[in-house]
Structure formats: C-alpha cells, structure tokens
Amino acid sequence: MELELSPPTKRVYYYLLKKKEATLRQIQEDLGFASVSAVRYHVKKLVEYGLVKETFDGKYAINKIILDDDYIVIFNNILPKSIFFSSFFLTSTILIILLMFSHPFAMEVFASLISFVASGIFLLDAIKRYLRFERTIKSGE
C-alpha cells in the first residue's frame, strides 16, 4: 500500500474490501474491536484518505482499492500475483508428465523435475502470502 495504515486500520480496510459494505457494529463484532467508537476512529481515517465512503443507509463501503504490489483483486477475491506463475508451472508439469508416457526421453524427465520444483516454490509462495493476508484481517498484524 502506498499509504501507511496502522495494523487495526488496515484490518478494517481489508475487511471492507472482502465484505463490500458493513455497519460500524458489524465491523466491531466481526473483527473483535472493544467498542464501536474504536471502529469509528479507524473508519474515519479511511474516509479521510478517500479509501472508504459512507453509503446512504449508514454503512461503509470501499471507495478506492489499493493493495500491496503482491496482490490483485479478481471477482472480489484478493489473490497473490504469484498464483498465476504457480498455475502456469503446475499445468506445464502435468502436460510434460502426460507427454513423457508417449515419448520417454531423459530431457522430458529433467524438464518435468524442473517444472515440478518451480511449481512447488511458486505455489508455496502464493499460499504463504494468502495466509499472511488472512492473518492481517483476523489478528491485525
């Protein structure tokens, strides 16, 4: 994120990003804040930065989406960019393994091993980043 948000403010922002909209009470209950006024403080900061807006029915919704460079939003899902690399390499590995049965060459085995290792590395990276994002929402790290 370009803005430096405090961990609790970032939690509220990510929560709203996933939920689309929520009341202060919903945010408080779902994120475990001690009071509505604490939530109001963080939402006010987000409104000041132009990231969140109040809707006509008293709920708060995302006004502007900003994420760390490692993430993208697709169909309201926040995904690490590395998921594309892991998908590509995993698919390549499966295709090479399937081709290996019809044309067994040593180079194909080597290519399969390299693709499998690369797929594993990217997949683990994607899982790690996604879990870090989820922890940020739940615990405010």
Side-chain angles (χ1 to χ4, degrees), residues 32-50:
F33 279 93
S35 66
V36 172
S37 62
V39 173
R40 185 177 292 113
Y41 170 80
H42 296 293
V43 168
K44 182 181 174 196
K45 287 287 182 195
L46 293 169
V47 170
E48 288 173 6
Y49 291 141

Side-chain angles (χ1 to χ4, degrees), residues 9-74:
T9 305
K10 191 181 284 189
R11 281 180 66 210
V12 172
Y13 178 73
Y14 285 161
Y15 173 83
L16 287 171
L17 192 59
K18 288 184 83 170
K19 283 287 199 179
K20 295 224 184 231
E21 65 179 23
T23 64
L24 295 174
R25 174 77 58 199
Q26 288 170 321
I27 298 169
Q28 182 221 352
E29 291 172 357
D30 290 349
L31 296 182
F33 279 93
S35 66
V36 172
S37 62
V39 173
R40 185 177 292 113
Y41 170 80
H42 296 293
V43 168
K44 182 181 174 196
K45 287 287 182 195
L46 293 169
V47 170
E48 288 173 6
Y49 291 141
L51 302 176
V52 169
K53 63 182 176 188
E54 186 172 3
T55 63
F56 71 93
D57 57 353
K59 294 182 178 181
Y60 291 89
I62 293 295
N63 189 41
K64 180 179 176 185
I65 296 174
I66 60 167
L67 292 171
D68 294 332
D69 290 336
D70 295 335
Y71 298 96
I72 58 172
V73 177
I74 297 179

Side-chain angles (χ1 to χ4, degrees), residues 35-116:
S35 66
V36 172
S37 62
V39 173
R40 185 177 292 113
Y41 170 80
H42 296 293
V43 168
K44 182 181 174 196
K45 287 287 182 195
L46 293 169
V47 170
E48 288 173 6
Y49 291 141
L51 302 176
V52 169
K53 63 182 176 188
E54 186 172 3
T55 63
F56 71 93
D57 57 353
K59 294 182 178 181
Y60 291 89
I62 293 295
N63 189 41
K64 180 179 176 185
I65 296 174
I66 60 167
L67 292 171
D68 294 332
D69 290 336
D70 295 335
Y71 298 96
I72 58 172
V73 177
I74 297 179
F75 302 115
N76 285 338
N77 292 306
I78 300 165
L79 301 171
K81 287 181 180 178
S82 56
I83 196 77
F84 296 106
F85 295 116
S86 62
S87 301
F88 172 77
F89 283 115
L90 190 57
T91 303
S92 298
T93 301
I94 291 168
L95 288 174
I96 289 172
I97 289 170
L98 290 174
L99 289 172
M100 199 167 41
F101 291 113
S102 60
H103 305 311
F105 294 109
M107 187 53 123
E108 290 177 343
V109 173
F110 180 73
S112 298
L113 181 61
I114 295 300
S115 293
F116 184 75

